[in-house]
Amino acid sequence: MSPHRNGNLSLMPLQEFVLDGFEGGLQTQALLFALFLVLYVVAILGNLTMIMVITLDARLHSPMYFFLKNLSLVDLCYSSVIAPKALANFLSSSKVITFEGCATQFFFFSLLVTTEGFLLAVMAYDRFMAICSPLSYPISMCPSVCARLMLGCYSGGCLNSILQTSFTFSLPFCSSNHIDHFFCDVPPLLKLACADTTINELLLFGICGLIIMGTILVIVISYCYITVTILRMHSGGGRHKLLSTCGSHMTAVSLLYGTVFVMYAQPGAVQSMEQGKVVSVFYTLVIPMLNPLIYSLRNKDVKDALWRLGQKHTAM
């Protein structure tokens, strides 16, 4: 791409971007590489373990663990969309990503993060049905219903991803090809556009706000009913078990929605790139790493399944 005489890039379509990532010298990049690598490896091992345990243990073949297995799969995939390229760039001087590669990375990241948001709402609805309507639960949450709910989560994520990707990558990028981030995301990309991005920012704020508020509404209503039902229970043991299970889910909800809201669903969220990088590390790597720990350490059924799997492996 040839520059104009005034030093600006020409209006020729961009063929590649440069992911600037984090500032700092070789020592800083090495430390960041080590940090990202540890977070990613733990996320991979944790989520693969959850998927394997739920798949192999017949006692965990229930709607709740079906959704939990899909949550682990989504976490595994969306951290893998971001981390490998970021790790490679810490060791590279060029940090180049093609235009198509950037669009593809953003598409799958947007799809998977949105799917996780919908999935957390579905998991809250599943707990509501299990606790508040236990007699009709086997019918209302039968395998075909669970499959349709899961398909709906992926469809909603895909629709949002198509809209965000098409609107973002149809913009003319002519001011620079340097993305002030460690992966391709909407806020830093909008900074590079040489056209009015008001519509894009409104789309980002509107759709993300709608998804967040809609799914949070489902979660809040579900847990209001769940709380009332739990308080009416006479069994202390049953109440403790339900509170533990629901507490794990609410922790996961708070982590994801808190960070996504800070990054995407408030006016002016696209203005602070340095803050955005730190927040992005949290929801691209830290949350996928924490979710398996949250659900395994606070869930007796999962811990028992891990113990049985370990005993079976030892016996072999």
Side-chain angles (χ1 to χ4, degrees):
M1 186 180 305
S2 59
H4 282 306
R5 291 178 182 177
N6 60 9
N8 293 327
L9 291 174
S10 70
L11 295 178
M12 292 288 290
L14 285 176
Q15 300 299 315
E16 60 186 30
F17 291 103
V18 177
L19 294 167
D20 287 340
F22 294 89
E23 296 180 356
L26 290 176
Q27 186 175 7
T28 301
Q29 299 301 309
L31 288 173
L32 287 169
F33 174 85
L35 174 63
F36 271 55
L37 182 62
V38 169
L39 292 174
Y40 182 52
V41 169
V42 174
I44 292 292
L45 294 176
N47 285 293
L48 282 177
T49 300
M50 288 295 290
I51 292 170
M52 180 181 66
V53 168
I54 294 171
T55 301
L56 296 178
D57 197 304
R59 300 183 194 186
L60 300 183
H61 291 177
S62 66
M64 182 177 79
Y65 293 105
F66 168 76
F67 294 126
L68 183 54
K69 183 168 73 171
N70 276 278
L71 178 68
S72 291
L73 178 63
V74 170
D75 281 338
L76 178 68
C77 291
Y78 92 69
S79 60
S80 297
V81 169
I82 304 300
K85 182 62 179 176
L87 288 168
N89 284 344
F90 285 130
L91 304 178
S92 172
S93 58
S94 64
K95 305 180 188 297
V96 169
I97 184 170
T98 64
F99 184 90
E100 293 78 11
C102 187
T104 301
Q105 184 187 58
F106 173 74
F107 175 84
F108 283 105
F109 171 71
S110 178
L111 185 156
L112 293 163
V113 171
T114 308
T115 298
E116 178 152 333
F118 286 124
L119 179 53
L120 290 173
V122 167
M123 291 172 72
Y125 173 73
D126 170 69
R127 291 297 82 210
F128 159 73
M129 293 301 298
I131 295 169
C132 301
S133 302
L135 296 179
S136 62
Y137 179 69
I139 298 173
S140 59
M141 295 300 290
C142 65
S144 62
V145 171
C146 292
R148 286 197 293 269
L149 286 171
M150 201 62 238
L151 179 61
C153 292
Y154 282 108
S155 299
C158 189
L159 178 60
N160 177 52
S161 184
I162 289 171
L163 287 172
Q164 297 288 358
T165 305
S166 58
F167 271 82
T168 301
F169 286 88
S170 63
L171 288 169
F173 299 105
C174 55
S175 59
S176 172
N177 67 336
H178 283 256
I179 299 175
D180 187 15
H181 215 308
F182 63 91
F183 72 98
C184 295
D185 200 6
V186 172
L189 283 166
L190 295 184
K191 293 281 189 180
L192 305 184
C194 55
D196 186 8
T197 61
T198 302
I199 293 178
N200 298 76
E201 293 184 28
L202 288 174
L203 182 74
L204 176 67
F205 172 66
I207 293 181
C208 291
L210 184 64
I211 291 172
I212 290 173
M213 295 310 297
T215 50
I216 283 180
L217 186 63
V218 171
I219 293 168
V220 169
I221 292 174
S222 297
Y223 274 97
C224 284
Y225 280 102
I226 289 170
T227 302
V228 172
T229 303
I230 290 175
L231 291 176
R232 289 175 178 172
M233 286 183 172
H234 300 294
S235 170
R239 184 184 300 177
H240 176 75
K241 182 178 179 180
L242 290 175
L243 286 173
S244 176
T245 301
C246 295
S248 299
H249 183 248
M250 287 307 298
T251 302
V253 168
S254 301
L255 288 172
L256 179 68
Y257 279 84
T259 52
V260 169
F261 181 83
V262 168
M263 190 66 186
Y264 302 109
Q266 56 173 324
V270 298
Q271 300 303 316
S272 176
M273 290 299 103
E274 292 305 314
Q275 178 195 28
K277 292 177 190 178
V278 176
V279 174
S280 296
V281 172
F282 199 81
Y283 68 75
T284 57
L285 287 171
V286 177
I287 290 177
M289 178 198 71
L290 289 177
N291 277 345
L293 299 176
I294 292 169
Y295 282 102
S296 61
L297 294 178
R298 300 191 58 169
N299 191 306
K300 186 177 183 299
D301 292 337
V302 174
K303 287 189 285 187
D304 289 345
L306 281 168
W307 183 83
R308 287 192 296 271
L309 191 63
Q311 290 293 103
K312 188 182 295 186
H313 179 74
T314 303
M316 294 174 63

